[in-house]
Amino acid sequence: MFTRHPSNPLISPNDVTPSRPGFEIIGTFNAGACTFNNEVYLLVRVAEKPVNEDKSVIACPHYVNGELVVEHIRRDDPDWDTSDPRQIRHLRSSLMYLTSVSHLRLARSKDGATFKIDPEPWLLPQTEYEGYGVEDARITEVEGRYYINYTAVSMFGITTALVSTADFVSIERHGLIFPSSNRDVTIFPQRVNGKYVCYHRPMPMFGGLHIWSATSPDLVSWGDHRILLSSSESGWMNGRVGGGAPPVLTDAGWLSIFHAADKNDRYCLGAFITPADDPTTIIASSKEPIMAPEAPYETSGFFSDVVFTCGAVVRGDELWVYYGTADEHTAVASAKLQDLVAHVMGN
Amino acid sequence: MFTRHPSNPLISPNDVTPSRPGFEIIGTFNAGACTFNNEVYLLVRVAEKPVNEDKSVIACPHYVNGELVVEHIRRDDPDWDTSDPRQIRHLRSSLMYLTSVSHLRLARSKDGATFKIDPEPWLLPQTEYEGYGVEDARITEVEGRYYINYTAVSMFGITTALVSTADFVSIERHGLIFPSSNRDVTIFPQRVNGKYVCYHRPMPMFGGLHIWSATSPDLVSWGDHRILLSSSESGWMNGRVGGGAPPVLTDAGWLSIFHAADKNDRYCLGAFITPADDPTTIIASSKEPIMAPEAPYETSGFFSDVVFTCGAVVRGDELWVYYGTADEHTAVASAKLQDLVAHVMGN
């Protein structure tokens, strides 16, 4: 149903300049998306790390009190689990590091496929909750203002922060809207029954990785948390599920594109629909992935077999879903919105 | 500084009738506390389990769709970690069960020490988030109404729910105020700088078990989360910290009694003070426990070496701290409020 754009991948690490000398970019992916001034605006997650010729050590960059420091861990250190290319974990404490540090970079396009990428970061890690990076922005236009939530990672865990802007120049910070561990927050573009609504994905000590709903009077404070979509015991959703693009209102209700991973960390996209007046109840859901890693830039890369969306925009009668591929590139795939809704409703 | 009441423990399992035939009570502890109609009201956590003569199996009671069911797990089953008397964990999945199921029971006292205990539960598990029980109530009087938050445990994890009452008879439910995993929520009795305030204790996949602050416009939706007090690397706080009694306003600021456990799960009480106009900054904190397990009913019991408070009341010039002992009994200890504040401020 989705057509991958012939220019995919649209944005790759080589297209972006590092934020500082001595660093190299390893990922330009998981972009939030919106329409602004008739252009597509992406806030791309740019992951970078120090250039490191010594393959026997892993360099772990992070900020301490606003200064970037690099921890070097020997790849064969028995105290550390170094099997995941994205992060390393200390085996006898709760300490972990990421192997790269991410910031958000603005990219603009008139045709939705050819992007002009800012030479400087749009949002760099700043607070004590962002020491390991800022990741995976989602953009929602609410009442004429653009609200951007993103994953803030630090020694305190994985949290979600919120900023807003009217012009993508001046940025107002609203603090943490979810404490650790929580990510994949998608905010609705309008109130439902008088309340703002979002989906979020707690990462608890036990209980599984499911999509929950919440409501808010002010976009900053969230409550009335409810389970919406559970990861399942078998199949493509048996590892985790999480919100993807902020929901889009259609004739059938709120359409949400989400991600699901199986126990082998293969990430696919699914879709579900909730009624226009009740975002807490799924009325239809894709039983199989609506998109799975198939193209070479999806099946092979920094973290292979991943398609992962943080944003989609409506262009004419189509939905353009921007998505990260293999934790490395940004791509786009489009579908007729009507066909997509019919497909989900038919499940 | 604290004087344990000579009648301690005040409430023990033998003092309470089970909620159903065939069950026995194993714990009456971790009571929320307040003053109502010139009496001390406690909402005691009552933990009960099926009478089980077969010591080779562990009976795990929980609710499924409102019905109580009992799972029996062999104590020597290699698929389960049965080393913790409070819970068992499946070793190859995220499944866990508690070995008892808790409800909340109301107890009343004119003298603060002799309690009349209701024969029936005040709050039984009801929602899908309460299948493993409702635990550890905290009571805060806000603008003439009593708000009770409690830990709701289920297969979806550890969450915090909120109910309120004006008379302790009629109960209004406000849903989940924190998704999994989060507990030990203490709500302030009044707004500070126009916002309600609470402390809470997320239990993330990584990042440690610390006390965070949050603010709310309506007591249901919470945001602007900030780290307040970290568990430390060594000593009595090196396992976890969490909120205890809801904060009490004193001349020196907000006084909070919290719990801390070391890596051996020995639970002590500490105290800290935050300014009256800024609950997000600690100005003084006890460097050593203000109370540690010493009395026989604290050092020995269902889960030994535990003192754990969920509520304190001001009586004259004293603070009476109600606390659970060894996950089994309810006790009280009192201190001159002025002495306690001076002690914490002197640290």
Side-chain angles (χ1 to χ4, degrees), chain A residues 148-344:
Chain A
I148 296 118
N149 65 262
Y150 57 91
T151 305
V153 190
S154 73
M155 59 180 290
F156 298 121
I158 296 166
T159 64
T160 295
L162 182 71
V163 300
S164 67
T165 185
D167 54 12
F168 284 89
V169 177
S170 165
I171 301 172
E172 183 182 355
R173 285 182 171 265
H174 303 287
L176 295 186
I177 58 173
F178 286 95
S180 59
S181 292
N182 205 312
R183 69 188 311 167
D184 299 327
V185 173
T186 56
I187 296 175
F188 283 55
Q190 63 190 61
R191 293 177 196 242
V192 180
N193 302 321
K195 297 258 194 182
Y196 298 108
V197 184
C198 82
Y199 296 144
H200 61 98
R201 209 285 301 283
M203 304 171 77
M205 268 191 170
F206 84 93
L209 300 171
H210 317 302
I211 298 176
W212 296 58
S213 68
T215 64
S216 174
D218 58 10
L219 291 167
V220 172
S221 306
W222 294 92
D224 197 16
H225 305 277
R226 303 179 190 207
I227 285 270
L228 179 77
L229 180 70
S230 294
S231 54
S232 59
E233 281 308 301
S234 61
W236 60 290
M237 289 168 55
N238 69 5
R240 56 184 62 189
V241 294
V248 174
L249 190 57
T250 71
D251 291 345
W254 292 102
L255 171 69
S256 293
I257 316 280
F258 67 97
H259 71 262
D262 63 16
K263 289 196 192 302
N264 297 319
D265 279 338
R266 181 175 184 257
Y267 283 75
C268 296
L269 299 183
F272 61 80
I273 292 174
T274 55
D277 61 354
D278 179 13
T280 69
T281 307
I282 290 174
I283 52 177
S285 179
S286 54
K287 298 292 175 286
E288 299 295 330
I290 58 168
M291 194 183 314
E294 288 167 8
Y297 49 88
E298 298 162 356
T299 56
S300 176
F302 178 74
F303 196 82
S304 298
D305 274 329
V306 172
V307 292
F308 188 101
T309 185
C310 294
V313 299
V314 177
R315 289 174 69 82
D317 61 355
E318 293 184 336
L319 187 69
W320 285 44
V321 177
Y322 292 88
Y323 63 105
T325 73
D327 278 13
E328 192 166 331
H329 312 277
T330 294
V332 71
S334 59
K336 284 254 191 312
L337 195 49
Q338 192 179 314
D339 294 350
L340 182 56
V341 168
H343 171 78
V344 178

Side-chain angles (χ1 to χ4, degrees), chain A residues 96 129 154-158 176-177 179-181 202-207 212 215 217 220-227, chain B residues 96 129 154-158 176-177 179-181 200 202-207 212 217 220-227:
Chain A
M96 67 88 80
Y129 309 107
S154 73
M155 59 180 290
F156 298 121
I158 296 166
L176 295 186
I177 58 173
S180 59
S181 292
M203 304 171 77
M205 268 191 170
F206 84 93
W212 296 58
T215 64
V220 172
S221 306
W222 294 92
D224 197 16
H225 305 277
R226 303 179 190 207
I227 285 270
Chain B
M96 65 90 78
Y129 309 106
S154 73
M155 60 181 289
F156 298 121
I158 296 167
L176 295 187
I177 57 173
S180 59
S181 293
H200 61 97
M203 305 170 77
M205 269 191 169
F206 84 94
W212 296 58
V220 172
S221 306
W222 294 91
D224 197 15
H225 305 278
R226 303 180 191 206
I227 284 269

Side-chain angles (χ1 to χ4, degrees), chain A residues 8-223:
Chain A
N8 278 352
L10 306 180
I11 303 174
S12 293
N14 285 341
D15 302 329
V16 181
T17 47
S19 73
R20 58 176 63 216
F23 269 58
E24 62 183 333
I25 291 178
I26 61 167
T28 52
F29 59 121
N30 296 5
C34 69
T35 304
F36 182 74
N37 280 350
N38 292 317
E39 289 188 289
V40 174
Y41 270 41
L42 299 184
L43 284 171
V44 183
R45 170 177 171 189
V46 173
E48 52 188 0
K49 65 174 189 176
V51 175
N52 173 29
E53 302 295 342
D54 182 356
K55 296 305 170 208
S56 70
V57 300
I58 301 172
C60 301
H62 56 277
Y63 290 84
V64 177
N65 297 327
E67 289 300 311
L68 195 108
V69 298
V70 181
E71 205 80 33
H72 291 93
I73 307 290
R74 289 197 58 81
R75 202 174 286 275
D76 60 2
D77 188 328
D79 284 345
W80 291 87
D81 176 356
T82 59
S83 62
D84 188 328
R86 303 171 298 183
Q87 61 194 29
I88 66 170
R89 289 179 177 272
H90 196 253
L91 294 171
R92 291 180 293 104
S93 76
S94 62
L95 195 62
M96 67 88 80
Y97 291 118
L98 302 185
T99 57
S100 63
V101 61
S102 292
H103 64 265
L104 303 181
R105 192 77 68 102
L106 185 60
R108 302 158 224 240
S109 174
K110 290 197 196 310
D111 64 4
T114 315
F115 280 90
K116 190 166 172 231
I117 304 161
D118 275 6
E120 299 292 334
W122 190 79
L123 194 81
L124 273 171
Q126 187 175 28
T127 76
E128 62 184 319
Y129 309 107
E130 300 173 353
Y132 292 4
V134 295
E135 308 176 349
D136 299 0
R138 272 86 173 181
I139 310 171
T140 307
E141 184 184 352
V142 185
E143 296 154 13
R145 195 167 173 86
Y146 293 81
Y147 288 84
I148 296 118
N149 65 262
Y150 57 91
T151 305
V153 190
S154 73
M155 59 180 290
F156 298 121
I158 296 166
T159 64
T160 295
L162 182 71
V163 300
S164 67
T165 185
D167 54 12
F168 284 89
V169 177
S170 165
I171 301 172
E172 183 182 355
R173 285 182 171 265
H174 303 287
L176 295 186
I177 58 173
F178 286 95
S180 59
S181 292
N182 205 312
R183 69 188 311 167
D184 299 327
V185 173
T186 56
I187 296 175
F188 283 55
Q190 63 190 61
R191 293 177 196 242
V192 180
N193 302 321
K195 297 258 194 182
Y196 298 108
V197 184
C198 82
Y199 296 144
H200 61 98
R201 209 285 301 283
M203 304 171 77
M205 268 191 170
F206 84 93
L209 300 171
H210 317 302
I211 298 176
W212 296 58
S213 68
T215 64
S216 174
D218 58 10
L219 291 167
V220 172
S221 306
W222 294 92

Side-chain angles (χ1 to χ4, degrees), chain B residues 304-317:
Chain B
S304 298
D305 274 328
V306 173
V307 292
F308 188 101
T309 185
C310 293
V313 300
V314 176
R315 288 174 70 82
D317 60 355

